[in-house]
Amino acid sequence: MMGQISDRVSRLAASATFAMMQKSNELSAQGVDVVNMSVGEPDFNTPDYVKKAAIEAVEANYSKYSPVPGYMWLRKACSDKLKRENNLDYTPAEILVSTGAKQSLCNVIMAIVNPGDEVLLPSPCWVSYPEMVKLAGGVPVVIKAGIDQDFKVTAAQIEAAITPRTKAMMICSPSNPTGSVYSREELESIGKMLAGYPDVFIVSDEIYEHINFIGGHQSLAQFVDKDRIAVINGVSKAYAMTGWRIGFMAGPEWLVKACNKLQGQYTSGTCSVAQKAAQVAFDGPQDDVEKMRQVFQKRRDLIVSLAKEVPGFEVNNPQGAFYLFPKCDSYFGKRYGDKVINSAEDLAMYLLEVGHVATVGGTAFGSPECIRFSYATSEEKIVEAFRRVKKALAALE
Ligand code: PMP
Ligand code: GLU
């Protein structure tokens, strides 16, 4: 019956991040002591005041279908957050709450991309962007930035990739997988250039907003017309709430309506209890967010110094998120017994099977010369991981 699988799904790549997380978990289940630096999720617990709000919501019988675009009080909390933290004006009617920022992104792509439309992807980019575009029948157009440019594309590079078929661009800052953060000036120059191409819609993924080591977040939405941008955010990363599955899109009302229609046929409104928790996360005290940010910054300093000591690794100094994306292609062609490391995926598998450190190969992020480490784990584990990585790499011939 395998032949019954649609072309749409056959063409789709499985999520490389979740695949490596699963491999790592399988090995752990066999009793192997693995340091898991594959999937990107904070290792902290959700703050207590958020958990309490959810417990209260259960007791107050928040157990019915929620409105498809999210409860009005949560849309209002999102709109207040955008004003307070980003100085962006969005009414609650311009917000749509979804089951994670992942659904918010996919909603937008499904709502605007027609078969054959091109979507620009400044790259390295998150594994799900090209697949979402493919799901919609669109054509992912990768614009590559190497480590020599801190993995950030220039306005000129984006402009050179625009064609009459360009429908949209997806940009992420702070970035997964590189941790790079576009400066205010860089975003402004991209915004100015895009003003000359009013038909290109912009999807700005700001899910790592609060994990920022340069003193504050800048949104591309400051520099483009509001009618042509969707700002994506959520609670997963800032509030250590990956499992609660709440994300949102802020955008023009025509897009909110289209995504609402899609969501109404596909998943309905997201979990009612999680919505209450998210409201309290946005409206409540933000001290925990800052505490976690500081811990991430210390870990960033640690992992960068450790990675610089690894022979053959080339690293940038990430300014946000919790990823390091070393260039590691100097190991390609090396051998371990009768096995040859031909790619970043081979290297990631070798590090997992021999070094017992789980990472993700860079190909799925558009950079076959790199591997990704998620440092959302303790300092002890980061130190232990790099001890193992160095030892395993030294054993290659
Ligand atoms: N965008 C990026 C760049 C991400 O890394 C993630 C991580 N999962 C998401 C969106 C989706 O987050 P969520 O958990 O809210 O779906
Ligand atoms: N965004 C995280 C990562 O890149 C979580 C997994 C996923 O959604 O891809 O590892």
Side-chain angles (χ1 to χ4, degrees):
M1 292 298 274
M2 270 290 275
Q4 305 285 332
I5 299 292
S6 68
D7 294 344
R8 186 183 311 107
V9 171
S10 302
R11 276 196 305 265
L12 209 62
S15 167
T17 50
F18 283 132
M20 281 309 274
M21 177 180 86
Q22 194 175 330
K23 283 206 173 80
S24 167
N25 290 345
E26 280 165 13
L27 219 56
S28 298
Q30 290 164 26
V32 180
D33 162 36
V34 178
V35 182
N36 187 359
M37 301 183 81
S38 61
V39 81
E41 67 174 334
D43 53 326
F44 303 109
N45 291 323
T46 300
D48 284 342
Y49 65 94
V50 175
K51 291 196 278 194
K52 191 162 163 275
I55 292 164
E56 282 166 14
V58 171
E59 282 167 356
N61 295 308
Y62 273 82
S63 51
K64 300 284 194 286
Y65 283 125
S66 61
V68 173
Y71 280 112
M72 201 33 112
W73 36 258
L74 179 54
R75 297 167 80 192
K76 168 89 172 48
C78 297
S79 136
D80 291 348
K81 173 254 174 286
L82 289 165
K83 184 67 195 166
R84 186 177 65 240
E85 296 182 340
N86 313 105
N87 198 25
L88 296 174
D89 290 303
Y90 285 95
T91 65
E94 293 169 317
I95 308 280
L96 183 101
V97 175
S98 300
T99 304
K102 193 178 255 180
Q103 188 185 17
S104 306
L105 288 161
C106 205
N107 275 345
V108 173
I109 295 302
M110 294 301 274
I112 64 174
V113 172
N114 281 317
D117 285 350
E118 294 175 358
V119 178
L120 306 180
L121 302 178
S123 168
C125 68
W126 184 37
V127 295
S128 293
Y129 294 170
E131 303 311 311
M132 288 174 183
V133 172
K134 279 157 61 185
L135 203 53
V139 182
V141 176
V142 166
I143 310 170
K144 178 92 191 260
I147 196 165
D148 52 319
Q149 51 186 105
D150 193 22
F151 298 117
K152 290 189 280 187
V153 298
T154 61
Q157 276 182 288
I158 299 173
E159 187 166 24
I162 295 176
T163 75
R165 297 229 58 135
T166 306
K167 188 61 166 284
M169 175 181 81
M170 301 176 85
I171 188 161
C172 182
S173 177
S175 154
N176 177 3
T178 65
S180 298
V181 178
Y182 283 84
S183 69
R184 187 182 165 86
E185 293 69 36
E186 287 162 342
L187 292 173
E188 193 167 10
S189 108
I190 291 172
K192 269 195 189 139
M193 180 279 294
L194 287 170
Y197 302 90
D199 296 335
V200 177
F201 192 82
I202 302 145
V203 183
S204 178
D205 183 348
E206 303 181 15
I207 191 78
Y208 294 98
E209 159 176 20
H210 286 290
I211 306 166
N212 184 311
F213 315 132
I214 55 168
H217 177 69
Q218 298 289 338
S219 173
L220 180 56
Q222 298 167 92
F223 306 113
V224 296
D225 284 347
K226 208 175 141 183
D227 194 48
R228 61 179 302 199
I229 187 163
V231 175
I232 309 294
N233 213 321
V235 294
S236 285
K237 315 291 169 169
Y239 301 94
M241 291 176 70
T242 44
W244 296 77
R245 311 305 306 130
I246 298 281
F248 72 84
M249 183 271 287
E253 257 189 90
W254 56 263
L255 184 60
V256 169
K257 283 191 181 134
C259 293
N260 188 3
K261 185 160 75 168
L262 192 61
Q263 193 161 291
Q265 293 290 20
Y266 214 74
T267 55
S268 310
T270 192
C271 170
S272 51
V273 172
Q275 289 191 57
K276 203 69 203 163
Q279 180 201 18
V280 170
F282 286 133
D283 287 346
Q286 302 295 305
D287 317 67
D288 287 315
V289 177
E290 174 56 17
K291 274 188 214 145
M292 291 189 269
R293 192 198 69 77
Q294 286 175 12
V295 174
F296 282 127
Q297 188 159 351
K298 270 188 78 193
R299 292 171 177 175
R300 187 277 311 262
D301 294 345
L302 175 67
I303 195 170
V304 168
S305 71
L306 291 170
K308 277 186 176 158
E309 284 169 13
V310 178
F313 270 18
E314 205 183 317
V315 291
N316 68 334
N317 190 31
Q319 306 290 319
F322 38 61
Y323 303 108
L324 188 70
F325 203 50
K327 185 167 181 288
C328 59
D329 53 352
S330 59
Y331 286 96
F332 298 175
K334 296 212 172 195
R335 299 176 163 273
Y336 180 71
D338 57 355
K339 279 194 186 157
V340 184
I341 307 288
N342 282 317
S343 64
E345 287 58 50
D346 288 351
L347 193 65
M349 280 314 291
Y350 171 73
L351 290 177
L352 179 61
E353 285 167 3
V354 176
H356 299 158
V357 177
T359 59
V360 185
T363 306
F365 300 99
S367 289
E369 73 282 14
C370 297
I371 51 170
R372 191 190 78 171
F373 290 81
S374 162
Y375 58 85
T377 189
S378 69
E379 289 190 28
E380 297 84 81
K381 285 197 176 150
I382 295 170
V383 169
E384 174 59 14
F386 274 78
R387 192 190 64 73
R388 295 180 187 189
V389 165
K390 269 172 115 173
K391 189 167 164 221
L393 292 177
L396 290 171
E397 295 172 332

